């Protein structure tokens, strides 16, 4: 959800330049089921602009209507939305609406946390009822530094506590047309994408819509701090020798996902030579390599292959065993 918050803060700053007030709406509790879970947020500007969403679209108009009183008074409120008798969401949403006017220190602290890929927490205080109170509001905790969004006393009995992890980073090692599709789709998911291309390929970051960074480097030049525990890595150079060199370079890292393009036979050859060159390698690292990368959905085109790979990445990151939802016996988010 961190990437959604990044978009919200960007939109707030743009509205602030124009003198437009903003409020923040947060789903703080849920009875039953809904399109999104508690913790999702959206920004509402005084001109009616919405950034983000708290549902599939059935709740937003009511949130905008309810936000008007907060824009006028500056006092936070909780609204309830019963979807059971409206559009079939089959749940009751409790949404905290509060003024959103973070100061420069907050913005600087938030941006530093994003750049340094540090986690932070958000505590949102509320009651599960339609009501207005100065005790409602959200607090951001950046380590020892605490930043409140409003003048709320933050003393309500209920509190939603969220740990906001760094946005998922995707390192795509390879620069062919299939890397372009994977980059584009991942960026739409809010992932931070880094493309690693050989200097001889003469690629530019503009060749990869959605990419944050392009590194024209050889394997030996790969930055040691590029891959952390919130980073997915995809080997797709279409060169066996290059894939092996990069695999050797990242053997001491711990990506959340590591995939390799190509058939199972190629993977076995790659891993056999990799282990031969590194007999002391931790077998857990080898077993975590997904190759062929992706879920079996019948993908054929570069775009379809990108969908298959991203679906597998999400399953691994979220620790899920992929099944068709029609066969899931419990709730979608259970």
């Amino acid at each position: 959800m961190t990437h959604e918050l990044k978009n919200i803060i960007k939109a707030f700053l743009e509205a602030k330049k124009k003198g437009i007030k903003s409020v923040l709406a947060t789903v703080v509790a849920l009875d039953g089921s809904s399109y999104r879970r508690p913790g999702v947020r959206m920004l509402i500007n005084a001109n009616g602009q919405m950034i983000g969403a708290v549902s599939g679209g059935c709740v937003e108009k009511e949130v905008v209507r309810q936000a008007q009183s907060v824009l006028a008074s500056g006092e936070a409120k909780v609204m309830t939305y019963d979807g059971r008798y409206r559009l079939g969401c089959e749940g009751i949403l409790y949404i905290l609406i509060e003024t959103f006017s973070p100061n420069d220190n907050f913005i600087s602290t938030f941006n530093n946390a994003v750049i340094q890929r540090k986690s932070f927490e958000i505590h949102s205080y509320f009651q599960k009822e339609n009501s207005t109170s100065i005790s409602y509001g959200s607090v951001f905790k950046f380590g020892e530094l605490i930043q409140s969004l409003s003048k709320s006393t933050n003393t309500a009995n209920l509190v939603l506590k969220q740990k906001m992890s760094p946005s998922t980073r995707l390192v795509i090692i390879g620069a062919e047309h299939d890397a372009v599709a994977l980059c584009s789709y991942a960026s739409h998911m809010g992932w931070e994408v880094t493309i690693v291309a050989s200097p001889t390929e003469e690629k530019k970051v503009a060749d990869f819509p959605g990419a944050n960074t392009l590194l024209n480097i050889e394997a030996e030049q790969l930055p040691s701090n590029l891959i952390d525990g919130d980073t997915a890595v995809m080997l797709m150079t279409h060169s066996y020798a290059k894939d092996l060199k990069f695999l050797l370079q990242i053997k001491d890292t711990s990506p959340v996902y590591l995939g390799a393009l190509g058939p199972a036979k190629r993977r076995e050859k790659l891993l056999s030579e990799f282990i031969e060159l590194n007999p002391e390698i931790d077998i857990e690292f080898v077993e975590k390599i997904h190759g062929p990368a992706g879920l079996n959905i019948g993908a054929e085109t570069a775009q379809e292959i990108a969908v298959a790979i991203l679906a597998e990445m999400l399953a691994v990151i979220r620790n899920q065993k992929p099944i068709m939802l029609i066969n899931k016996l419990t709730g979608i988010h259970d």
Side-chain angles (χ1 to χ4, degrees), residues 214-234:
L214 173 70
L215 301 177
N216 288 113
I217 57 175
E218 301 294 356
E220 297 77 9
Q221 300 169 302
L222 195 71
S224 59
N225 62 347
L226 182 62
I227 301 170
D228 58 24
D230 293 296
T231 301
V233 179
M234 187 64 204

Side-chain angles (χ1 to χ4, degrees), residues 165-190:
S165 299
S167 297
T168 300
R169 173 186 283 160
L170 174 59
V171 176
I172 301 176
I173 302 176
E176 301 295 341
H177 65 285
D178 47 5
V180 176
L182 183 60
C183 172
S184 176
Y185 290 3
S187 69
H188 282 301
M189 291 164 51

Side-chain angles (χ1 to χ4, degrees), residues 28-31 78 80 94-96 98 122-131 133 135-139 152-162:
V28 288
L30 168 66
D31 292 335
V78 171
T80 62
Y94 299 88
I95 302 172
L96 169 66
E98 59 189 308
I122 305 177
H123 295 185
S124 297
Y125 297 82
F126 67 99
Q127 294 291 353
K128 289 178 69 174
E129 59 185 16
N130 285 308
S131 55
S133 174
S135 67
Y136 300 161
S138 298
V139 171
S152 165
T153 59
N154 304 128
T155 56
N157 293 333
L158 299 179
V159 57
L160 171 68
K161 296 183 178 181
Q162 284 181 280

Side-chain angles (χ1 to χ4, degrees), residues 47-269:
N47 61 0
Q49 182 186 21
M50 296 183 294
I51 297 87
V54 294
S55 77
C58 53
V59 182
E60 280 69 17
K61 288 184 179 180
E62 180 63 17
V63 175
V64 171
R65 188 183 73 82
Q66 296 266 2
Q68 301 312 305
S69 63
V70 179
L71 283 165
S73 69
E75 193 169 6
K77 70 189 292 186
V78 171
M79 61 164 280
T80 62
Y81 186 93
D82 192 338
R84 296 173 299 176
Y85 309 109
R86 302 191 187 192
L87 297 176
C89 291
E90 299 186 357
I92 302 175
L93 292 172
Y94 299 88
I95 302 172
L96 169 66
I97 308 175
E98 59 189 308
T99 58
F100 190 74
S101 185
N103 58 32
D104 292 343
N105 186 42
F106 176 98
I107 299 299
S108 176
T109 303
F110 175 82
N111 287 338
N112 286 336
V114 169
I115 293 170
Q116 297 172 16
R117 298 183 62 76
K118 291 184 177 180
S119 299
F120 57 94
E121 292 186 4
I122 305 177
H123 295 185
S124 297
Y125 297 82
F126 67 99
Q127 294 291 353
K128 289 178 69 174
E129 59 185 16
N130 285 308
S131 55
T132 300
S133 174
I134 61 172
S135 67
Y136 300 161
S138 298
V139 171
F140 284 64
K141 296 188 175 184
F142 302 95
E144 298 299 320
L145 182 62
I146 298 176
Q147 298 270 3
S148 181
L149 286 183
S150 62
K151 297 179 180 179
S152 165
T153 59
N154 304 128
T155 56
N157 293 333
L158 299 179
V159 57
L160 171 68
K161 296 183 178 181
Q162 284 181 280
K163 179 181 179 181
M164 307 294 286
S165 299
S167 297
T168 300
R169 173 186 283 160
L170 174 59
V171 176
I172 301 176
I173 302 176
E176 301 295 341
H177 65 285
D178 47 5
V180 176
L182 183 60
C183 172
S184 176
Y185 290 3
S187 69
H188 282 301
M189 291 164 51
W191 291 12
E192 299 174 357
V193 184
T194 294
I195 303 292
V196 178
S198 171
T200 60
E201 294 180 278
E202 298 182 349
K203 297 290 185 177
K204 305 181 296 295
V205 70
D207 296 326
F208 301 87
N212 298 84
T213 309
L214 173 70
L215 301 177
N216 288 113
I217 57 175
E218 301 294 356
E220 297 77 9
Q221 300 169 302
L222 195 71
S224 59
N225 62 347
L226 182 62
I227 301 170
D228 58 24
D230 293 296
T231 301
V233 179
M234 187 64 204
L235 290 170
M236 50 195 311
T237 67
H238 293 267
S239 165
Y240 175 87
K242 288 181 180 179
D243 280 357
L244 179 59
K245 286 182 179 180
F246 276 104
L247 189 57
L248 290 168
Q249 192 67 21
I250 64 178
K251 62 182 176 62
D252 296 322
T253 66
S254 299
V256 68
Y257 174 95
L258 175 54
L261 199 66
K265 187 175 181 180
R266 183 181 188 273
R267 173 186 183 273
E268 294 308 313
K269 179 183 177 184

Side-chain angles (χ1 to χ4, degrees), residues 27-38:
V27 176
V28 288
L30 168 66
D31 292 335
S33 63
S34 183
Y35 189 83
R36 300 289 304 270
R37 291 185 287 180

